[in-house]
Amino acid sequence: MFCLSELEDTVRVPPSDLNLPLEVAIKKALQKLFLDKVLSIGLCVSIYGIKSIEGGFVLPGDGAATYKVVFRIVVFRPFVGEVIAAKFKESDSNGLRLTLGFFEDVYVPAPLIPTPNRCEPDPYNRNQMRWVWKYGDDEFIIDDSCQQIKFRVENISYPPVPTERAEDAKPFAPMVVTGTIDDDGLGPVSWWEACAPISDAED
Amino acid sequence: RVKANAGALTNFEVLDLLNSRGASKDTTRVIASETVSRSEYKVYDYLMETAASTQTRDSVTKFSDKCKGFKLAKAEILNIINLRPSSDVELTPILEKPDEREIDIEGILALVQELLPPLPTVEAHKENEQEETEDGEQPNMETSV
């Protein structure tokens, strides 16, 4: 789900940081610019390293030094078809929302939840709906008692930034991963625990 | 100007990177750390609950090399390393169209068992819902407050 990306960008080191060693100052500026931000290539998770630094010019009227930097970052960008373990975050009538902690916009829309299923108001949480999968005579509830939920990536999208929003709209998600749990081995891990693992290390 | 994909990384490699920066499980770390940011710690916490936390560079490299005989795509090998499947039902969702290719499922699972360390034992997050331990014994724990 992670990969390295190489970028080149113009970085401004503010005068207050000019006493730091150059690499440290540039890294600090890069972190402020990129860390935890969504780019067209995914969510930037960490600055991997700096490859080259050029410049250091001070533009007129500006106390900061400007550098042209080539650097590599670690990006979270899952591939379509990848299976990822996540935790339950919330659910509503449209489907489930899962989280990885550092990334919280994984959505499993209703059509990608195994059928037959039903959606009912959650008795423990008045604002939520919860999903229940019916398999044979058993019913399996999907809620936050599921320790781990595995999903497979169907799609990644980068919605454009909205120009206008309603007052109570959910916070804008610049990167959305759509997943499915409708296949063998997917969904809450507890659903599949009955399938024997290959051997267990008991000796 | 931009090379979007300069190489895929396994979860292990990302965790190794964060470890080399000084990430740890110590509770005072988030406030004290100058080298690992809060958002990086969220990635660290996620990875520590996955197979990556028990893997070593040696085991991951050896596994990738030996996978060459199984006709798997690079992305599938990466996914297997990240999830460390231990049964057929855990492995098949990772593979693309397994029925149309002749894949040695048993062979892959045996290799995983042989080369990749077992998953970490994750503490249950809900104290009231302790499940039985793997051996089938009842957990001998104090009841929750």
Side-chain angles (χ1 to χ4, degrees):
Chain A
M1 59 182 104
F2 298 106
C3 72
L4 277 181
S5 285
E6 191 174 299
L7 305 176
E8 183 193 294
D9 202 11
T10 316
V11 171
R12 198 180 156 273
V13 175
S16 47
D17 286 344
L18 288 175
N19 58 331
L20 298 171
L22 186 58
E23 279 208 20
V24 174
I26 296 223
K27 191 164 184 198
K28 203 169 146 188
L30 287 176
Q31 283 183 324
K32 203 158 170 206
L33 273 175
F34 291 100
L35 211 57
D36 208 23
K37 304 267 190 339
V38 170
L39 311 173
S40 56
I41 47 178
L43 170 70
C44 173
V45 148
S46 189
I47 311 292
Y48 189 74
I50 299 173
K51 278 187 111 172
S52 71
I53 304 171
E54 259 178 47
F57 304 113
V58 177
L59 300 173
D62 189 1
T66 308
Y67 297 87
K68 194 162 78 156
V69 185
V70 176
F71 55 99
R72 284 187 297 180
I73 52 173
V74 177
V75 174
F76 166 69
R77 182 179 72 238
F79 55 87
V80 172
E82 183 172 1
V83 175
I84 297 176
K87 295 208 168 107
F88 176 86
K89 186 171 169 77
E90 61 188 17
S91 59
D92 62 17
S93 44
N94 294 324
L96 307 172
R97 183 175 175 191
L98 306 177
T99 172
L100 300 176
F102 62 93
F103 182 80
E104 304 209 298
D105 296 306
V106 178
Y107 290 94
V108 181
L112 297 178
I113 298 178
T115 50
N117 60 48
R118 65 167 198 278
C119 184
E120 59 185 26
D122 189 345
Y124 300 106
N125 188 336
R126 265 193 309 166
N127 298 333
Q128 284 204 83
M129 302 293 282
R130 71 178 183 188
W131 289 86
V132 181
W133 177 42
K134 192 164 156 51
Y135 181 66
D137 289 328
D138 295 322
E139 293 207 327
F140 298 95
I141 301 172
I142 305 172
D143 64 5
D144 62 8
S145 66
C146 306
Q147 294 280 27
Q148 242 193 25
I149 299 181
K150 283 193 184 154
F151 69 93
R152 186 166 55 217
V153 178
E154 288 283 307
N155 179 250
I156 308 174
S157 67
Y158 301 88
V161 182
T163 43
E164 278 179 15
R165 277 199 356 214
E167 281 295 319
D168 58 348
K170 275 161 80 157
F172 169 65
M175 177 174 165
V176 174
V177 172
T178 306
T180 175
I181 56 170
D182 188 8
D183 200 358
D184 287 347
L186 302 180
V189 165
S190 53
W191 289 2
W192 306 99
E193 259 157 21
C195 302
I198 194 163
S199 70
D200 59 343
E202 266 238 86
D203 35 29
Chain B
R1 252 195 61 161
V2 174
K3 213 197 289 182
N5 190 353
L9 297 173
T10 52
N11 287 359
F12 164 74
E13 286 165 291
V14 177
L15 185 58
D16 197 37
L17 175 73
L18 294 172
N19 272 319
S20 72
R21 296 258 197 78
S24 76
K25 293 223 96 176
D26 177 10
T27 40
T28 57
R29 67 197 184 177
V30 180
I31 314 148
S33 178
E34 287 188 1
T35 48
V36 184
S37 69
R38 191 160 261 163
S39 61
E40 284 167 318
Y41 259 116
K42 287 188 184 164
V43 179
Y44 175 83
D45 286 340
Y46 172 81
L47 293 175
M48 283 303 281
E49 288 189 1
T50 65
S53 63
T54 54
Q55 288 170 349
T56 60
R57 188 163 290 276
D58 198 45
S59 60
V60 168
T61 319
K62 271 206 185 113
F63 180 81
S64 297
D65 281 342
K66 295 234 170 142
C67 266
K68 291 184 179 144
F70 290 108
K71 293 184 277 184
L72 297 171
K74 275 210 179 116
E76 289 171 329
I77 299 178
L78 197 103
N79 211 171
I80 292 172
I81 294 174
N82 287 347
L83 289 179
R84 210 244 177 220
S86 52
S87 65
D88 190 314
V89 84
E90 286 186 5
L91 176 58
T92 34
I94 294 176
L95 306 173
E96 195 178 317
K97 301 197 172 90
D99 308 324
E100 293 174 24
R101 298 145 77 186
E102 283 170 4
I103 302 209
D104 181 7
I105 303 262
E106 293 299 320
I108 297 171
L109 290 174
L111 194 69
V112 169
Q113 183 70 13
E114 184 198 328
L115 291 181
L116 295 180
L119 295 175
T121 40
V122 181
E123 295 159 18
H125 291 267
K126 302 244 167 183
E127 292 95 74
N128 349 337
E129 288 169 9
Q130 284 295 353
E131 314 210 316
E132 291 184 26
T133 58
E134 284 158 18
D135 316 334
E137 294 167 356
Q138 288 299 331
N140 185 15
M141 318 259 296
E142 341 174 62
T143 49
S144 55
V145 178

